[in-house]
């Protein structure tokens, strides 16, 4: 499996900001960057105004087989205007293709003028590490 195949899966990334804080995010990997939704409900945008550096990890751990795959990145992030089509692609990865069946709390931010997207660009292209035991 290559890094792009791994990052195409609906996995959860954990993002660490200088807050310090760590939060789980649903993401999409496109155009050499990680993207996820943000809005007035999140402190991360305000934290990025102070310090745009982030660390991110996406990993899997299969206890039955001992298989562990991991992508870890460091880089900078910024809040950009909401790209509705990109946001919908991201949500479909996690919620499935039936948008009419999604809980309202996932659709509401798409119509909120305060919503945007975090664009996190790694310092180096991500690589997939096999940490299996």
């Amino acid at each position: 499996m290559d890094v792009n195949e791994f990052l195409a899966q609906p996995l959860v990334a954990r993002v660490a900001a200088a807050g310090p804080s760590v939060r789980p995010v649903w993401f999409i990997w496109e155009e050499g960057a990680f993207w996820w939704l943000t809005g007035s409900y999140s402190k991360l945008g305000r934290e990025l105004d102070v310090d745009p550096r982030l660390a991110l990890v996406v990993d899997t751990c299969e206890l039955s087989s001992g298989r562990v795959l991991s992508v870890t990145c460091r880089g900078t992030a910024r809040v950009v205007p909401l790209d509705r089509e990109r946001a919908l692609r991201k949500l479909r990865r996690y919620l499935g293709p039936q948008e009419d069946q999604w809980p309202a709390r996932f659709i509401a931010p798409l119509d909120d003028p305060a919503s945007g997207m975090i664009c996190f660009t790694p310092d180096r292209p991500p690589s997939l590490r096999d940490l299996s035991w």
Side-chain angles (χ1 to χ4, degrees), residues 5 21-24 27-28 37 46 50 52-53 60 66 73 104 119 129:
E5 288 175 289
S21 62
V22 176
R23 59 190 42 86
F27 69 93
I28 190 165
L37 287 166
R46 294 185 298 276
V50 175
R53 295 174 300 158
T60 60
C73 301
C119 175
R129 294 177 54 205

Side-chain angles (χ1 to χ4, degrees), residues 38-43 46 112-116:
T38 192
S40 56
Y41 54 85
S42 173
K43 294 189 304 186
R46 294 185 298 276
D112 182 348
S115 291

Side-chain angles (χ1 to χ4, degrees), residues 4 7-8 68 92 103-104 129:
N4 291 309
L7 294 174
V68 178
R92 284 184 201 112
R129 294 177 54 205

Side-chain angles (χ1 to χ4, degrees), residues 26 37 41 91 95 102-110:
W26 287 352
L37 287 166
Y41 54 85
L91 290 170
L95 299 172
W102 295 353
R105 68 181 181 179
F106 294 106
I107 296 170
L110 300 178

Side-chain angles (χ1 to χ4, degrees), residues 1-63:
M1 175 181 304
D2 77 3
V3 67
N4 291 309
E5 288 175 289
F6 180 76
L7 294 174
Q9 297 177 84
L11 301 170
V12 174
R14 284 168 297 285
V15 177
S21 62
V22 176
R23 59 190 42 86
V25 296
W26 287 352
F27 69 93
I28 190 165
W29 168 252
E30 293 182 344
E31 299 176 18
F34 293 87
W35 304 81
W36 61 91
L37 287 166
T38 192
S40 56
Y41 54 85
S42 173
K43 294 189 304 186
L44 183 57
R46 294 185 298 276
E47 291 174 0
L48 293 176
D49 287 340
V50 175
D51 188 344
R53 295 174 300 158
L54 290 181
L56 174 144
V57 63
V58 181
D59 59 3
T60 60
C61 180
E62 298 172 13
L63 295 177

